[in-house]
């Protein structure tokens, strides 16, 4: 039988670090790799055991590092390749795995491959990117850029203008355009080999795997993503053969395709929407904890932004719809659980933070959910203390609205929240200056803080296999509250989460074989078994409870 993942992934909880904003070790105002090393003990103490670092390679930083100019070189502002190796070693001592970001779909226009490819004279790199035959020729409906090269032609960009798409060929090349190469053309096969060698390069240095950027974007005009999936499966086969402990995590946002493409995990982004579709725009109450279409929820008001409440499920108002989420989730889960995992992130560097309109109690409900669900959870740096969006900032390095969720980590009450000793004006982005801005030191000192709740939940997950990635999942109620059972072997664990802030009571039929409940983590919800029924009750101050069944 196919092995779905290396053993370590089943108990992994990832923490995403945006390197520029985590910790600045040398006072230049920008976070760096030695800064991450300095904070590894913090991460161990919190209880995460895996990291995902956004791209930390040489870059033109027009898109926060997703515009790579040299895949094999750490960006000088973050340190050196030796620092990266030191980070791998130090993390290994603490049993922390480190995944890097693999940007396989495009490079920066400053990458050497692109510079060669842009030359008028034909050379080994001419077909590394997608160029038409003349700048006057049709682009065949693709997004293409003209006027940036001596070569007569336009190139296809994958994202921003300065991110030319690497050439993996076309699933169905249009005969009218001779420049649309098939996926097995020898020139485009070379690009795959380049990417495989980059994967090998970092796995050899000690990386544990990769989060794969825009994974569905490789092959162009690829309906059903059939050819793109085949390429990733080829990468996975290489990894299984050469690096069986390594993992591939996709930014695909559609598990039924991604996990068949060979990824070990796929992100469930924009929680609850099926993949990248915009099908459910303007139906924000169906999202679990954040607006789907940001522009619909942020109104510009002079120079300020007013955030509109979205009535998502985890809002304290209790007006959301979990059932809608589970319809998609359960469908994807059932179809993929033998192939790999669905990863639910608290947030990431592209989304707004979860803290809008929420206090620590509300945020704890979200963590209780994410950390008791199947799959491999991801915590975005700072979410463990409820860091806030800082709207209205001038875009930094192509961040635009994403900039608000990329501000420096708030460590303590000292200058620049302990992020950096640089002068305020030199910081990568301003630190949250609100008088009540959360910080790690304060929350560590305060029992019952969000930080402590997250730590307790992480400990619970690590102590109980039923709660880990491959434990079974059985949904009992998708309403207010949310009730489900996780199980593995003889162990069965019941979770109840009530985001709504009100007095409540709820009865369901007693699940089969349930005789008694013993609390593992309790926050005030009362549980009672009587007359073949299971009854829970609580008030506006309570939020979730986790019990061992018959334990
Ligand atoms: C992914 C990244 C995002 C980046 C884009 C282009 O979506 O998460 O930050 O801008 O790809 O690489
Ligand atoms: Ca620095």
């Amino acid at each position: 039988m196919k092995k779905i993942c290396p053993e370590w992934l089943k108990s992994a909880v990832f923490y995403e670090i945006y390197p520029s904003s985590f910790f600045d070790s040398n006072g230049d105002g920008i976070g760096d790799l030695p800064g991450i090393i300095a904070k590894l003990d913090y991460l161990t103490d919190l209880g995460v055991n895996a990291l995902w670092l956004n791209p930390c390679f040489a870059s033109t930083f027009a898109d926060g590092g997703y515009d790579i100019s040299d895949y094999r070189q750490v960006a000088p502002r973050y340190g050196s390749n030796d620092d990266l190796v030191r980070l791998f070693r130090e993390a290994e001592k603490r049993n922390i795995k480190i995944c890097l970001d693999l940007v396989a779909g495009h490079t920066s226009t400053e990458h050497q491959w692109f510079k060669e490819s842009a030359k008028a004279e034909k050379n080994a790199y001419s077909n590394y990117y997608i160029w038409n035959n003349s700048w006057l020729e049709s682009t065949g409906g693709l997004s293409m850029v003209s006027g940036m090269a001596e070569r007569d032609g336009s190139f296809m960009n994958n994202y921003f203008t300065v991110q030319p798409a690497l050439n993996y060929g076309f699933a169905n090349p249009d005969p009218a355009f001779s420049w649309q190469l098939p996926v097995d053309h020898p020139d485009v096969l070379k690009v795959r080999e380049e990417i495989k060698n980059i994967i090998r390069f970092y796995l050899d240095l000690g990386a544990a795997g990769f989060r794969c950027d825009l994974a569905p974007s490789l092959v162009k005009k690829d309906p059903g993503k059939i050819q793109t999936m085949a390429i990733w499966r080829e990468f996975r086969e290489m990894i299984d053969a050469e690096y069986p402990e390594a993992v591939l995590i996709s930014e695909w946002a559609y598990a039924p395709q991604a996990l068949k493409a060979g990824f070990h995990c796929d992100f469930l982004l924009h929680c609850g929407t099926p993949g990248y579709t915009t099908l459910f725009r303007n139906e924000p109450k169906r999202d679990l904890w954040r607006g789907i279409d940001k522009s619909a929820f942020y109104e510009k008001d002079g120079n300020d932004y007013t955030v509109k409440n979205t009535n998502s499920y985890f809002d304290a108002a209790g007006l959301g719809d979990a059932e809608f989420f589970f319809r998609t989730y359960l469908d994807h889960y059932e179809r993929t659980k033998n192939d790999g995992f669905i990863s639910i992130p608290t947030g990431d560097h592209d989304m707004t933070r979860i803290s809008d309109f929420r206090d620590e109690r509300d945020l704890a409900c979200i963590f209780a959910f994410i950390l008791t669900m199947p799959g491999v959870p991801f915590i975005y740096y700072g979410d463990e203390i409820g860091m806030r969006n800082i709207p209205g900032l001038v875009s930094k390095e192509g961040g635009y609205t994403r900039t608000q969720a990329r501000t420096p980590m708030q460590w303590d009450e000292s200058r620049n929240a302990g992020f950096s000793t640089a002068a305020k004006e030199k910081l990568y982005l301003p630190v949250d200056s609100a008088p009540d801005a959360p910080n790690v030191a304060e929350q560590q000192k305060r029992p019952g803080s969000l930080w402590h709740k997250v730590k307790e939940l992480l400990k619970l997950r690590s102590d109980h296999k039923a709660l880990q990635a491959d434990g079974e999942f059985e949904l009992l109620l998708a309403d207010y509250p949310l009730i489900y059972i996780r199980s593995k072997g003889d162990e069965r664990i019941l979770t109840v989460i009530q985001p709504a802030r009100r007095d409540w009571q709820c009865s369901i039929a007693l699940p089969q074989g349930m005789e008694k409940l013993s609390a593992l983590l309790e926050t005030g919800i009362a549980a009672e078994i009587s007359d073949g029924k299971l009854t829970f009750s609580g008030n506006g101050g309570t939020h979730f409870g986790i019990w061992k069944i018959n334990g």
Side-chain angles (χ1 to χ4, degrees), residues 24-26 28 30-32 77:
D24 172 22
S25 72
N26 61 353
D28 66 356
I30 304 185
D32 44 55
R77 76 188 208 186

Side-chain angles (χ1 to χ4, degrees), residues 313-350:
Y313 178 74
F314 279 94
D315 286 352
L319 299 172
D321 182 349
E323 210 258 318
F324 178 81
F325 165 81
F326 276 105
R327 227 180 297 155
T328 309
Y329 178 83
L330 287 176
D331 172 51
H332 292 191
Y333 172 72
E334 291 300 336
R335 282 155 70 194
T336 60
K337 64 181 184 189
N338 298 322
D339 299 321
F341 303 122
I342 296 173
S343 278
I344 308 184
T346 62
D348 74 14
H349 62 291
D350 294 331

Side-chain angles (χ1 to χ4, degrees), residues 54 99 118 244 423 448 465:
N54 293 109
C99 286
K465 286 205 175 347

Side-chain angles (χ1 to χ4, degrees), residues 401-450:
T401 52
R402 305 176 293 183
T403 306
Q404 65 182 319
R406 298 179 177 182
T407 60
M409 179 72 177
Q410 293 145 212
W411 294 102
D412 56 37
E413 269 149 41
S414 68
R415 172 183 166 154
N416 301 324
F419 161 68
S420 168
T421 55
K424 212 172 155 184
E425 323 72 69
K426 288 192 70 191
L427 298 183
Y428 178 71
L429 278 169
V431 167
D432 186 349
S433 57
D436 62 345
N439 72 67
V440 169
E442 187 279 327
Q443 293 203 14
Q444 285 181 327
K445 267 183 268 156
R446 177 163 50 85
S449 68
L450 178 62

Side-chain angles (χ1 to χ4, degrees), residues 63 66 106 159 163 211 213-214 251 349-350 402 406:
D63 183 17
Y66 284 91
H106 51 270
Y159 203 69
Q163 289 165 307
R211 173 270 189 185
D213 185 66
L214 293 184
E251 186 202 28
H349 62 291
D350 294 331
R402 305 176 293 183
R406 298 179 177 182

